[in-house]
Amino acid sequence: MEKYLYIALFAPLVSSLFSALFTATPKKQFVGIVASFLIFSAFVSSYILLGHIMDGGEPIHVEMMTWMATGNLYIPFGFVVDQISVTMMMVVTLVSTIVHIYSIGYMDHDKGFNRFFAWLSAFVFSMMILVMSDNYAGLFIGWEGVGLCSWGLIGFWFHKDIATWAANEAFIMNRIADLGMLIGLFLVYWNTGTLQYEGAFAAFAQLDTATLTWIGIFLFIGAMGKSAQFPLHTWLADAMEGPTPVSALIHAATMVTAGVYLVIRSNELYSLIPHVGLFIASLGAFVALFAASMALVNRDMKRIIAYSTLSQLGYMFAAAGLGAYWVALFHLMAHAFFKALLFLGAGNVMHAMHDELDPFKMGGLKKVMKWTWIMMTIASLALAGIFPFAGFFSKDTILEAAFAEHHMVIYGVLLFTAGLTAFYSFRLVALIFHGEERYKIFGIHPHEAYRFMLIAMSPLLILAMIAGVFQAPFFEMVEEILGAAEYHIHSHVTLWIMLVGTQIFVGLAILYAYKKYGTWSSVPDGSSKMENSFIYKLLYNQYYIPYAYEEYIVKPYNEISEILWTKVDQKIVDASVDGIAGFFYSAGENTRDMQSGNLSTMLKWMVAGIIILLSLAVVFGLAARYSGEIMAILSGLGV
């Protein structure tokens, strides 16, 4: 089975290097085809490895070579395929394959076609390193790799200032969090003597609670940045400036899921510090509601879907924080299917609408984009948690976990958020596909996406509908490593009331969204009473958090930097360095005559030198001879 591990790991690297060979040449269709085939081969290998694990096979562990070996530090290039990593491998390669095939059509007219596939495949390779490594150091390599590739992909259209700004924001925000993660990794090694998962997890049981708490906190800070948890969340919505297939890959299978994966992979650590887990769960519940509230009023199609990702990440962290790691991993998997489908559907709409993102300028598109309408509607049903779609089985299990653990505040927040999710999801569907054909006043003539793009999306459509049936075998597979077990509500009546009540609540939210926006016929101009209300402005401006960051962090930092540059760097540091250089330059200029080659001049300098040396000899000789008398005189003077 080792050969399949290597194929799954290195096929994306080969895909990236192959595409990179053609980055300086005009668009070549076969670059996208070959890249997609190589990613598909990684998916097939991952599927074979999944079958091996599900059939009861032993986890596959390989050490390719030694990376670092100095003193007591030993870090190999080691990789492991177990229940956690193989799940992530399947999600990453499946979604990546679909995104690659879809991108052949989406990026068809882009001059950077070849460069796009080089970055996209490198992104997949970095994520595979992250999830397959058997140690924290290897995970960190992949961690930084996805950060770099996200910078290249978010800022792919670098001729747009807003795209480069968004890429830099994502990169810098993650570097802030990564400092915390590095401290966590140093603490792991300092206290356990290893960065290998197996050795570190075994040593955690011997450490005191305070040490474990600090390790858990610092590792979670890294997860907060990568998975865009408050207050390091602002980059996620701004990352929508990249091409839509990038958004699908980032939000469904790669970068933002890395933080959740880190917490799940470190479950043996967080199980020992439940108080930190409760904080993670509480923050997750807050972020779920926080992000959903901002999606309620946003008028950017991709940002609405991005906020839904942020909200669902909150659900995942809530589950992981409560110790339901298997539920968090299942929701991560199910969410990848319908979220990728939503983003790719949004990409279809953008192409049809000439890159228009305001759903209020659309309407009635189901007449010309029937398949995209069906796909986005089903994806939204899954996102809302409607039975029998994928989201029902994963989200409702998270609600059950919160209820069974008697965390009623977290349960209430997540339940209320489920209603908001249903409302904003179908607000978007209603505005895009129903109501008046408002796009006509802008002279737009929409059309359906290429057939092969729709076919590529179809596996996601199917999985969004049926992924829930895999819940039981999935829980059975991961129970050995994550301790999976069903949550038992003390009364079956209570459980059924919860399930049915949630469905009714979510269903009413969907009906309200359709009633309010299903027949929308005009484009808001910002003059309505609702749009001028304080609550609307608060939500639309993201609680003014980006404004606060800009005013109270970015601007003061720029001002301090300006002062340090002009007052300190230029007038002190540069002036000192330039002054020293000027002194030696002037000295060289003034003594240049010494090396003129003129005999009389050189004789004069020789005589002067002899006089100086003789004078120094006389002075030092007299000082040595009369040193006693000199010291007596100085003592008498009190020196």
Side-chain angles (χ1 to χ4, degrees), residues 423-464:
F423 176 79
Y424 69 68
S425 297
F426 282 90
R427 168 181 176 263
L428 182 64
V429 171
L431 287 170
I432 294 174
F433 297 105
H434 300 275
E436 297 293 327
E437 298 167 339
R438 299 178 295 278
Y439 59 83
K440 289 184 176 180
I441 64 176
F442 301 102
I444 298 174
H445 302 283
H447 55 83
E448 185 59 279
Y450 295 132
R451 186 178 297 274
F452 81 87
M453 294 169 68
L454 296 173
I455 293 173
M457 295 166 62
S458 58
L460 295 174
L461 175 66
I462 295 170
L463 287 167

Side-chain angles (χ1 to χ4, degrees), residues 67-78:
W67 177 29
M68 292 185 187
T70 175
N72 294 325
L73 176 64
Y74 172 72
I75 303 175
F77 276 116

